[in-house]
Amino acid sequence: MITERLSNRLKAVASFVGEGAVVADIGSDHAYLPCYLLKTGKINRAIAGEVANGPYDSAMKNVLKEGLSDSITVRLADGLFAIKETDLVDTITIAGMGGTLIASILENGKTQLDSITRIIVQPNIQSSVIRKWAVFNGWKIVSEQILKEDDKIYEVLTMEKGLSSYDETEILLGPFLCLEKSVVFREKWEREIVEWHRVLLSIEDAEETDLVRKKKKQVKSQIELVRKVLAT
Ligand code: SAM
């Protein structure tokens, strides 16, 4: 049963979906998330969008197996073009991809966002790219969650329409997450600092081109910014 097997990562995404929402899960792969939302009775209708044939077939198979073909429409489409006006979708979920890909899906599908009131994203990396996209496109972050599963750390961002402005720290770390500073948040950024030091070491002996200088400066300033937040 899908309800017992769903990862905590996708359960966290599901927890931000409103009761009775009409959801389009983009990049749905096995359609686990829409199946879970239907099976738990949180929603009655969903679209599962997939751009690749293999994951699309898996989604179709699972929806059929769970007996949800009347409630979940699986579509082979690029990004938000899986959504049709007549679907009356109000909530979009995009999980398990990099922040840059998620932001590009939102950017390319902007014309599909008129009826959408909530976007829930779970970027594996680079959530800052999504926060920047939100600021430039009239969306604000209304909640954030950070969690650890199988030694991986994930962020879940929920956005609604509205003006927003975030400083450099909030864009990188998350406006809610950097206030909360949970244990997992601290672990994530301590890991990042180790990784950034590795990057610095790897380019230490590189020829001092403009690009290398710029990269060193950027990495050092990120380390300083994060250290400052973690110190308080
Ligand atoms: N959302 C699921 C999860 O979180 O477990 C699946 C994540 S899987 C790593 C990413 C999925 O997104 C893949 O199945 C891929 O084919 C799909 N995908 C990537 N770009 C897409 C796009 N532009 N439109 C729709 N699906 C896309």
Side-chain angles (χ1 to χ4, degrees), residues 29-87:
D29 199 351
H30 293 80
Y32 288 149
L33 179 60
C35 286
Y36 175 84
L37 286 164
L38 262 292
K39 285 278 176 189
T40 53
K42 194 164 198 185
I43 67 169
N44 303 311
R45 174 107 198 87
I47 307 297
E50 249 301 330
V51 77
N53 284 310
Y56 167 79
D57 290 342
S58 306
M60 287 289 272
K61 218 185 286 170
N62 267 333
V63 168
L64 204 65
K65 195 172 91 192
E66 297 287 339
L68 293 170
S69 302
D70 289 343
S71 322
I72 301 177
T73 306
V74 184
R75 290 202 185 112
L76 188 63
D78 186 1
L80 306 193
F81 297 99
I83 304 169
K84 292 186 179 164
E85 215 175 318
T86 46
D87 296 329

Side-chain angles (χ1 to χ4, degrees), residues 26 79-80 94 97 100-110:
I26 306 300
L80 306 193
I94 314 179
M97 303 174 212
T100 304
L101 178 55
I102 293 178
S104 79
I105 287 174
L106 293 171
E107 180 64 23
N108 295 340
K110 263 185 200 176

Side-chain angles (χ1 to χ4, degrees), residues 193 196-197 221-232:
I193 289 176
W196 286 331
H197 276 298
S221 94
Q222 275 180 328
I223 292 175
E224 201 180 312
L225 184 149
V226 173
R227 280 230 168 101
K228 224 180 260 173
V229 173
L230 295 184
T232 55

Side-chain angles (χ1 to χ4, degrees), residues 151-192:
D151 206 42
K152 290 200 183 94
I153 295 178
Y154 302 104
E155 292 177 12
V156 180
L157 280 56
T158 302
M159 303 182 283
E160 290 180 357
K161 280 184 176 136
L163 294 180
S164 63
S165 111
Y166 304 115
D167 64 23
E168 203 189 345
T169 307
E170 291 169 322
I171 289 284
L172 183 66
L173 305 178
F176 291 93
L177 298 177
C178 74
L179 277 182
E180 185 194 37
K181 286 186 214 150
S182 68
V183 173
V184 179
F185 171 87
R186 286 181 182 279
E187 183 176 343
K188 174 191 164 85
W189 291 106
E190 269 149 20
R191 284 184 190 187
E192 288 291 343

